[in-house]
């Protein structure tokens, strides 16, 4: 079974849930404390063994490309002021992994964004990490858990968790048979169903390992829910010829494209940061008295 090296991170969406700031700042560049969210996601990919990343961007997202480029002028300022810690950090951002970019010229949906990676992927299985989903797991990154599941079972693997019944209409929902503690064999997927339509509350949450055969389905360009080309629809079509599994990953997931999800992430990450956690804890304690 081939080793998984490549990941696609789509970041071309408009981010309408986070307007007005997303009018000129990509949501992926909004920081959790002092690091843009896209960096947390790329670090998860690197820690999971990914060596090549394709960012699917749009013409409004140039700041993401700049962020991962070299910044020689800044490096020489930090060098002459002997701020070596900061210098290493800045250099590492542009050197940690091979990143290439492709533009999605029209925002036709997630499936269409992933289709832009057809040439990049070639004939290998690959990963997808959504650019607005952060998953925290101190011991084993979410994507690594999915890759290990892929190595054991083959097929494609969808990262899932149970969500509240009233939230099923925000997600792709899995209908499947449980084959072990955390793994389901997927029979069907339904994109953003109503509570009545949803067969389960098991939701796909922004992490995938996908067979390259998906591109044969994506190229048919069928528009689905909300008039968008949905990745979920093509994965459903894949099930007729290949196994698809859903893996219940361990970790706390934050939807940073949503205001509440973003604020939860900011609070939790500040409480995990050794340099500021005591101050924040005291502050929150005072506020909640
Ligand atoms: P979302 O629906 O969560 O992101 O898409 P969005 O469209 O940017 O946000 P809202 O709903 O308007 O607030 C999930 C992921 O797919 C990407 C988004 O950037 C996000 O990472 N995406 C979505 C694309 O790259 N292209 C698209 O056409 C649609």
């Amino acid at each position: 079974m081939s080793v998984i090296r490549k990941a696609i991170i789509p970041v071309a969406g408009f981010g309408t849930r986070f307007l007005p700031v997303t009018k000129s700042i990509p949501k992926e560049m909004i920081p959790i404390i002092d690091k843009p969210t896209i960096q947390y996601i790329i670090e998860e990919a690197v820690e999971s063994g990914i060596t090549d990343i394709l960012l699917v961007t749009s013409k409004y997202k140039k700041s993401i490309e700049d962020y991962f480029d070299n910044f020689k002028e800044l490096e020489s300022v930090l060098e002459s002021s002997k701020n070596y810690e900061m210098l290493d950090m800045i250099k590492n951002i542009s050197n940690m992994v091979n990143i290439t970019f492709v533009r999605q010229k029209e925002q036709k949906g997630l499936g269409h964004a992933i289709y832009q990676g057809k040439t990049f992927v070639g004939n290998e299985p690959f990963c997808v990490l959504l650019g607005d989903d952060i998953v925290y797991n101190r011991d084993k990154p979410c994507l690594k858990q999915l890759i290990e599941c892929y190595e054991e079972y083959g097929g494609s693997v969808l990262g899932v968790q149970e969500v509240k019944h009233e939230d099923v209409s925000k997600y792709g929902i899995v209908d499947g048979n449980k084959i072990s503690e955390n793994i389901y064999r997927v029979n069907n997927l339904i994109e953003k169903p109503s509570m009545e339509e949803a067969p389960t509350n098991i939701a796909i949450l922004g992490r995938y390992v996908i067979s390259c055969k998906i591109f044969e389905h994506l190229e048919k360009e069928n528009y689905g829910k909300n008039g968008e080309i949905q990745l979920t629809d093509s994965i459903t079509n894949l099930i007729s010829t290949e196994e698809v599994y859903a893996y219940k990953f361990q970790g706390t997931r934050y939807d940073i494209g949503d205001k509440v999800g973003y604020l939860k992430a900011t609070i939790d990450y500040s409480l995990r940061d050794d340099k500021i956690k005591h101050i924040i804890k005291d502050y929150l304690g005072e506020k909640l008295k």
Side-chain angles (χ1 to χ4, degrees), residues 21 40 42 48 53 60 67 74 82 98 102 114 116-117 127 145 152 156 162 170 197 205 214 220 225 243 254 261 288:
V21 65
Y40 289 87
I42 289 188
S48 304
I53 291 178
Y60 310 105
Y67 186 74
L74 175 63
K82 298 194 171 32
N98 292 326
V102 64
I114 300 306
Q116 310 311 306
C127 301
Q145 298 174 42
E152 193 175 342
S156 298
E162 285 174 33
K170 296 182 189 165
E197 288 168 324
L205 297 180
I214 193 78
K220 293 181 189 140
K225 198 90 180 192
E243 297 287 4
Y254 305 93
L288 296 174

Side-chain angles (χ1 to χ4, degrees), residues 10-17 27-28 104 107-110 113 131-132:
V11 294
F14 285 122
T16 52
R17 284 169 297 154
K27 63 181 165 185
E28 299 79 11
Q104 184 190 21
Q107 278 55 63
K108 293 184 184 177
L110 175 60
D132 52 4

